[in-house]
Amino acid sequence: MIWCRFLRDDAVSYGVVEDGRIKEVSGSPFGTWNYSGRTFAVADVTLDVPVVPGNFYAIGSNYASHVEERGKVRGTGAKYYDVPRVGYRANSALLPTGQNIVKPQGSGEQFQYEGELVAVIGKKARRVSPEEAWSCIFGWTIGNDVTERDWQKNDPTNLRGKNCDTFKPMGPWIVTGIHPKDMRTQVVLNGKKLHDFATGNMLFDAGAVISAISQTNTLHPGDVVWLGTDELPVNIKPGDRLDITISGIGTLSNAVVAE
């Protein structure tokens, strides 16, 4: 099933996407819901972020080649971690597909994307095992973890480096009933494919990450967990367009503009 949030007539609703049309629902996929009886063509509505999470987690250093390439750039060598490196992100940075990533005034040239698989939590998870954690996943969407690297290096909280307005595109929708082992992630910049990797080839899979978080922080329906990226991103600038596609889900598309 494909779930979306969409804007029409100044109201935001959830809907189920089928054959290019959205069947509007009352309620939400994380509680009780019913079809409203109204349907719209996807092209006739504005897609919003597919969920506004109560809690927004993100993991770094989760693909081997990404760790190795970062180590080369820093001159430190690859540094692998024994447990997932989990951070927290701001809802105020969320951005739907189709809207513009804004490069802030004063930001540097090392302004980069990270195409990521996002797990959307479907039921409460507290102190679950990695095996149990899989049953807590409602579905999957796509994230772009936009980062200003100079700010990231000099700001230990990541407030500016990763949480500025528009730095977290997410969408276009949530897909249920699929598994990362069957997915590939592609990143296309201005029509040129830059990255193509096996999405499920993670150092810590979704079950391990969710389990680790749940040992200290209760996850709730609608929370999201971003699962990291592979390969090394390049700089982006105003005028660029990014298309991040994960097989089985769809494509998250955003242009870059200057503030």
Side-chain angles (χ1 to χ4, degrees), residues 33-66:
W33 58 273
N34 294 284
Y35 289 115
S36 70
R38 300 202 304 171
T39 67
F40 308 99
V42 172
D44 291 339
V45 306
T46 300
L47 291 176
D48 205 338
V49 290
V51 62
V52 178
N55 294 288
F56 183 168
Y57 301 98
I59 181 174
S61 304
N62 201 26
Y63 287 80
S65 62
H66 185 79

Side-chain angles (χ1 to χ4, degrees), residues 17 46 48 65 68 78 107 119 128 140 149 151 167 184 198 222 251:
V17 182
T46 300
D48 205 338
S65 62
E68 291 163 3
S107 58
V128 296
W140 309 90
R149 297 294 178 191
W151 289 350
F167 272 28
R184 291 197 69 82
T251 301

